[in-house]
């Protein structure tokens, strides 16, 4: 079935460090891909998305590129801040419009 | 504006009891989704409504779980004869329409269900 595999955490970085969180997905059909973020005490929020191959989603300094050849959608940020500390979820949406999530990656950024 | 709201925020019940979890979607959103998030896992799809009808209930784990959306707005997830394995955070999401990947799903804060 459809699935998403993302890098297990936790990930701990210092402020201004470079971030990569790996994500791969099953390539059944033509899925759309998403990164959601859950800040402490808050609900899930959409961070960015890409709907077709080679699209790049970006928001708040985060980027991810839809790579069909490697079935990947890795999340990157050049310089993280303490306020980026959260749990990040990679997700795919197929033709049935329901989201399939990865297990989540806890990111902690220290000052 | 108001986002997706869910009540109660926390629910503690005993094994074998019946529970109802409520979701108020964003006004005007025709699509509504229920997900379940167990500890250390990502959310898992349960059921999706388009309007009043369940368009896809393939994620409901068994017949103890049932959901309704009688007027196409508020939805209630009902769990009969609760088991300890039902303990999780139940998330509700809504979107403008369920028929486009361009319509973002907005999530509520969730209801944390604990079955003792």
């Amino acid at each position: 079935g459809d699935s998403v595999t993302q890098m297990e955490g936790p990930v701990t970085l210092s402020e201004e460090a470079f971030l990569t969180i790996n994500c791969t997905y099953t390539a059944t059909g033509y899925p759309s891909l998403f990164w959601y973020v859950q800040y402490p005490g808050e609900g899930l929020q959409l961070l960015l998305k890409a709907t077709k191959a080679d699209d790049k989603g970006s928001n708040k300094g985060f980027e991810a590129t839809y790579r069909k050849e490697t079935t990947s959608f890795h999340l990157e940020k050049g310089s993280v801040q303490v306020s980026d500390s959260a749990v990040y979820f990679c997700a795919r949406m197929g033709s049935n419009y329901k989201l399939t999530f990865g297990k989540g990656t806890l990111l902690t950024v220290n000052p | 504006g108001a986002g997706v709201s869910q009540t109660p925020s926390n629910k503690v019940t005993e094994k074998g009891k019946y529970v109802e979890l409520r979701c108020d979607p964003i006004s005007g959103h025709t699509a509504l989704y229920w997900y379940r998030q167990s500890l250390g896992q990502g959310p898992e799809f349960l059921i999706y409504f388009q309007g009043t009808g369940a368009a896809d209930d393939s994620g409901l784990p068994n017949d103890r779980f049932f959901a309704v959306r009688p007027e196409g707005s508020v939805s209630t997830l009902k769990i009969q004869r609760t088991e300890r394995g039902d303990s999780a955070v139940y998330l509700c999401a809504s979107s403008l329409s369920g028929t486009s990947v361009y319509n973002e799903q907005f999530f509520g804060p969730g209801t944390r269900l604990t079955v003792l």
Side-chain angles (χ1 to χ4, degrees):
Chain A
D2 296 336
S3 66
V4 172
T5 303
Q6 68 180 96
M7 187 169 91
E8 294 205 11
V11 174
T12 303
L13 296 173
S14 297
E15 207 164 21
E16 300 184 2
F18 183 84
L19 169 72
T20 300
I21 301 177
N22 291 337
C23 171
T24 57
Y25 63 92
T26 51
T28 310
Y30 303 94
S32 293
L33 303 173
F34 303 80
W35 277 99
Y36 278 81
V37 59
Q38 189 168 33
Y39 297 105
E42 299 184 17
L44 273 171
Q45 302 174 25
L46 178 64
L47 180 60
L48 54 83
K49 69 181 181 186
T51 57
K52 62 183 187 297
D54 299 324
D55 269 2
K56 178 186 283 188
S58 60
N59 187 23
K60 299 182 180 180
F62 291 88
E63 293 183 340
T65 301
Y66 190 141
R67 300 285 188 202
K68 188 177 177 183
E69 64 276 11
T70 55
T71 62
S72 65
F73 192 56
H74 304 323
L75 182 68
E76 296 182 336
K77 186 174 186 182
S79 176
V80 294
Q81 305 301 311
V82 172
S83 57
D84 294 327
S85 298
V87 181
Y88 292 81
F89 293 92
C90 185
R92 78 186 296 283
M93 179 188 288
S95 58
N96 51 19
Y97 304 111
K98 59 190 183 191
L99 290 164
T100 301
F101 288 87
K103 291 187 177 182
T105 302
L106 173 63
L107 170 67
T108 302
V109 180
N110 295 318
Chain B
V4 177
S5 62
Q6 294 185 246
T7 54
S9 55
N10 278 285
K11 176 70 177 178
V12 180
T13 191
E14 294 179 344
K15 181 175 177 294
K17 299 290 188 182
Y18 168 83
V19 297
E20 290 189 351
L21 311 180
R22 177 187 167 108
C23 172
D24 273 279
I26 293 172
S27 178
H29 281 192
T30 63
L32 185 146
Y33 308 79
W34 284 99
Y35 294 85
R36 178 169 71 172
Q37 186 174 14
S38 300
L39 193 63
Q41 304 294 316
E44 293 180 314
F45 170 81
L46 294 176
I47 186 170
Y48 150 50
F49 288 90
Q50 182 62 44
T52 60
D56 185 342
D57 64 358
S58 61
L60 295 177
N62 52 59
D63 62 5
R64 296 186 297 106
F65 288 75
F66 189 71
V68 295
R69 194 186 186 199
E71 297 179 356
S73 177
V74 171
S75 176
T76 305
L77 178 65
K78 308 181 181 194
I79 311 175
Q80 298 177 323
R81 305 182 304 281
T82 52
E83 300 178 356
R84 293 195 179 88
D86 299 335
S87 296
V89 176
Y90 289 81
L91 297 171
C92 177
S94 70
S95 68
L96 197 58
S97 165
T99 56
S100 171
V101 297
Y102 297 101
N103 290 323
E104 178 182 344
Q105 291 186 25
F106 292 86
F107 282 80
T111 293
R112 182 176 297 278
L113 175 66
T114 303
V115 182
L116 302 177

